[in-house]
Amino acid sequence: MEIDDHKLDLVDLYQRYNTDPKRGLSYSEAQKAFNRDGPNALSSSKTKPEWIKFCRHMFGYFEFLLWIGAILCFITHGFEVVTYHEDASSDNLWLGIALIVIVIVTGSFSYFQDAKCSRIVDSFKSMVPPQALIIRDGELTNIRTEELVVGDIVTIKFGDRVPADIRILESHGFKVDNSFLTGESEPQSRSPEFTNDNVLETKNLAFFSTFATDGFPATVTICLTLTAKRLAKKNCLVKNLEAVETLGSTSIICADKIGTLTQNRMTVAHMWFDNQIVEADTSEYQQNATYNGTIPGWLALTRCAILCNRADFKQDPENLAQPVLQRQCYGDESEAALLKCVELSIGNVINFREINRKVCEIPFNSTNKYQVSIHEVYTDNNSEVDSRPYLLVMKGAPEHILERCSSIYIDGTDVEINDYWRNAFNQAYMKLGSLGERVLGFCDLRLSSDDHPKGYQFNEEQVNFPLDNLRFLGLMSMIDPLRVAVPEAIAKCRSAGIKVIMVTGDHPITAKPISRAAGIISQDTETVEDIAERAGVSLEEVNPRDAKACVIHGNDLKAMSPAEIDALLENHPEIVFARTSPQQKITVVEGCKRQGAIVAMIGDGVNDLPAMKKADIGIAMGITGSDMNREVADMVLLDDNFASIVTGVEQGRLIFDNLKKSIAYMLTSNIPKMTPFLMYFLMGIPLALGTSTILFIDLLTIISAISLVYEEAETDIMKKPPRNPKHDRLVNKRLILMTHGPIGFIQAAAGLFTYFSIMAENGFLPSRLFGLRKSWESKYVNDLQDSYNREWTYEQRKQLEFTCQSAFFIAIVICQWAVLIICKTRRNSILEQGMKNRILNGVLIFEIILVAIVSYMPCLGTALNIYPVKFRWWLPALFSAFLILIYDEVRKHLIRQHPGGWLERQTYF
Amino acid sequence: MNSNEETFENTFLSNLYIVRPRTLLRSPLYPIKDNRDDIYIKDGSLTGLDYLSNIRNYLWNRETKRFCARDGLEWAKFGCCYFIYLFTLGILFSALVIIYMLLLDKKTPRRLGNDSAIAFDGGINPGLGFRPQLYMDRSIIKWRSSRKLGRESTGEIIDNIQEWGKLHTVKDQFYQQMIDCATIPRHLLINYFRQGLSCMFFVTDVKPGPNPCSKPKSFGYNKGRPCVLIKLNRIFGWIPEPYQSKEEVPIEIRHLWQPIMKNFILIKCFGQYPTDQDLIYQVDHISILGNKAIGGIPTYYYPFLNQPGYRQPYVWAQFIKIESNVLLNIICRAYARNIRHSTDIEDMTGAVHFEIFFE
């Protein structure tokens, strides 16, 4: 398809798509285009057909081996038929059929599980529908990207995802990440100019972004998907399945402050007027007020806050219908906080501003550090209006405001400012500042009618009005409050051995109190500054090692060498990085990774993006986070609830623990499976376990191992430190030793005892069995003598052998039953853990029923060479199963009694 | 730090540090303590040489005297625990096995008759055995004529038959107690058997007078007239039910049946396939029955109750005239009501197969 949209003139382009750059498409036209073209989404044609997926499960590596085995069986059977005609034995035929049945059963099982998993993963994608901000019918509206149609005018800001293939009409410093299309890792700049015939090269086109996902082996997928599903219920969306496990081994969480730990919503917290600090009342109905709402000092302060304020509520009815605190505002966030505060306490702010019309204004800038406006005051008293029609209101950095004042308004009278008042001011200012609050000072002045009569032309350029000798009114301080669940979640992370580090762009003075409130710096630990203040010594005299906590300024961080950063991270369990740039956030994450930690970075802003990418796992906020954050993150907290992370960590650890348990379980059957072969080759004892029974054991083992994935967490899961991924691997020495050693041997003993007993009861005492292999296996020995001088033909002793093998098989299955129960826990007693895993319980029952069916249904048994075994042959195995339970309970008990002891170091996997 | 690193790099092949990346410092289970001087903490990832030296030091560390990361004391503890564990388990296992064996009767197997694995779905069916059987994994009887070879090649064969039959020639303590079952009424026999007595069976019982299948005659092998000993497998408590009328007898031996055979298990050998039958010109059966065309074992030898010194009755099949330098497939079958025959080549119930090859 030829694309020439990038070559056309803009006017031609508008005509072609019947659109307008200012008004966009009309709704009816958009609807028409939508009906014509369908949704703006990738058609699903590139997904693989189901039958190919099915075949992939049927012909995987392991399955392929089984197929080859089955085919070989059939070929052998074919030869036998050709050679012996109807005399051919059907053993190979049966084995072949059994192999095929196993492949088909396991293949279908994993296919259906996989299909289920991918359905779940797909459903995750629709949980964060990408949105696009477009102009339709002259209005800015948010729609889902699927609803975009050709001709829509789209607006894109920093961090957004390009919602469709677009032609750029206007742009400022626009860069796109084209890496998935062209492989260019650097962001490419884009602008309205047409620069190249090539669609990909030209600067005036940007393309729809996509991302790809990858696959895992079926068992792991089941495990991860189950957890992802569980987490999704808790509004914790896992985009990258692997992330769940990574989160489980996370040892350091780096959290951005604004929007992550706090609500990103400035709220007025305190006020200082009439020489007292009062708590601001931000409740909806003002029921928490600690001050009288009619005192003049407060009224003057609020009047100033109303007038000297450029913030305004967004004027759409939906927004205005919301509670005041949740309304969206235009303007600076601290002004919005003031607006909400006064709207709550006084009300009708907009109306009040209209009455007291603004006549002149100097907006805030960083050199002045104040904002001033002059209003024509409305009063009922004509004489006063005539004398003083104008009111100047000013707010800004408190110290700058105080400098400009000569009097202070106390208890309804103007008092001259002297050292006493300056001191009082300073104390209040320091106190509010130490709470981590942003403090603003307010002052006003009635302009005299002599100098400024009614109709006076104020000019902000020439400043033809006084800005000194004003009247100080008071202070108002604002804070971005902590999210509700944060302190609790951080405490939980702490007890789980996870270090929480705050990395924020805020000033240290703001960051420190918040981190104390959040528990990132706990109540009884001190920073170097705290120690110095307490001891009354200078900072240099304090040994930095005495301080467990520290607050590092971004500038200091910049000057540090990697070794210094390492030492810093090692020596201080509680760290806050303040005033950090995106680059320094990366430095922090890198430093943590150098420590061998698995680092999770939680953030909501574009400035956190590089650090999120650098970290082992990036977590984004679903509501406050930008599109780009959600795009890059491995995990999204849909409800912005920090506590979900704790759940995530728990689930991640659970996955690891459960996989470990699964593997331990699978390995325990190795020794009992191997012993018969060893005894066959080394001691010449007739084979105690056949190949078909081994296959059958493996099948049961896999099913049971999967059921362990559904196991609940042990009680200590969030009380132990995170695992060290370099050292504490899924399969380790202790796990192998434990599963192959004690537990394996008990099982083998149970099987062998059963085997020897059946042999002995049928005439072959153990002494007779040693070295018997050659004559036992020979088809030409038709008169093998047993311990009772009986003579056995080949067929007869094979029948005995298969009976023994069936008993051995049943013994292992029964022991595995007990092993499955002990594998439910690694440290806890099984009594504490309980039998709440329904799937596991089902598997236990299923196994017994299946074994009973296989051994007592004549036709099924012949296929697998399994013969009926009397119930009393189950008893030795039941005894062993009991022994296994006792042994492991005792072991776990000792491990619990002596944490970190010798037994734990040798056997705790 | 730097100097430390340099010395390490220079001398690492001879030093005995275990090199660990810094990341292991925080391991929850094996935290590396600062005072462990056998561990060198390295920043960054390990090189291949580091791994090599780690493996070497893991296997044997001269400095700390550690083998596989455990020193003598730890190995002793570890070994002790496993020894105690396995010893206990072993003792328990052996004790249980031994106790179980002690509970078993030494003379009578626990599982008998249809309860035993020896019985198929249709009950017990005895197999047959043959001698000489020189090889465990083949059923061929192969020898060379002495004329060609210039010396005896039949020694092994004769020894093999002698070895099996020697019990029948010894006059041991059991021999003194043996009874002549032919003269005792059938209903009394079982009581004698239960007392541990068994029937006499002499080599001479098979054929009174000169026997072509005897040691002095090399069992016929040097003359190209091999004798093969056929015996019915001993099965505890099994009692044969011979055919009682000509009509019941299988078609292949019906023409040979005589009423005297009512008390005999009949045994007959013949070529397995038509070609074999053409090449075997004459088979003589030498048995108590005294009929050359078919052998027979009297039923008074049964049931076998594992009597001490029990002498297993047998039948000789002498191949009077066979083709030389041809592999002959022979099958011998036992005939009685309660002996079934299978068509399966591998299923030798009620039959035995062997090959004869005379060079």
Side-chain angles (χ1 to χ4, degrees), chain A residues 59-72 99 103:
Chain A
F59 301 100
Y61 299 107
F62 180 64
E63 287 78 5
F64 205 70
L65 284 180
L66 292 180
W67 279 112
I68 290 175
I71 289 166
L72 286 178
L99 284 174
V103 177

Side-chain angles (χ1 to χ4, degrees), chain B residues 127-197:
Chain B
L128 295 170
F130 72 95
R131 291 292 182 280
Q133 186 169 18
L134 290 177
Y135 316 101
M136 212 175 268
D137 50 353
R138 275 180 291 167
S139 54
I140 192 168
I141 303 168
K142 179 182 165 186
W143 76 104
R144 288 180 174 183
S145 93
S146 53
R147 257 177 306 136
K148 278 191 195 166
L149 201 68
R151 60 177 173 84
E152 292 284 327
S153 72
T154 53
E156 274 189 334
I157 291 177
I158 292 162
D159 289 350
N160 187 277
I161 298 175
Q162 281 287 106
E163 175 70 23
W164 186 82
K166 75 181 170 203
L167 191 72
H168 292 71
T169 57
V170 185
K171 295 192 173 179
D172 57 7
Q173 45 164 343
F174 303 114
Y175 170 75
Q176 308 298 332
Q177 301 175 13
M178 281 190 180
I179 48 175
D180 185 0
C181 298
T183 60
I184 296 171
R186 292 297 309 275
H187 62 277
L188 295 177
L189 272 179
I190 186 77
N191 295 327
Y192 288 111
F193 290 165
R194 283 190 185 134
Q195 288 161 26
L197 302 176

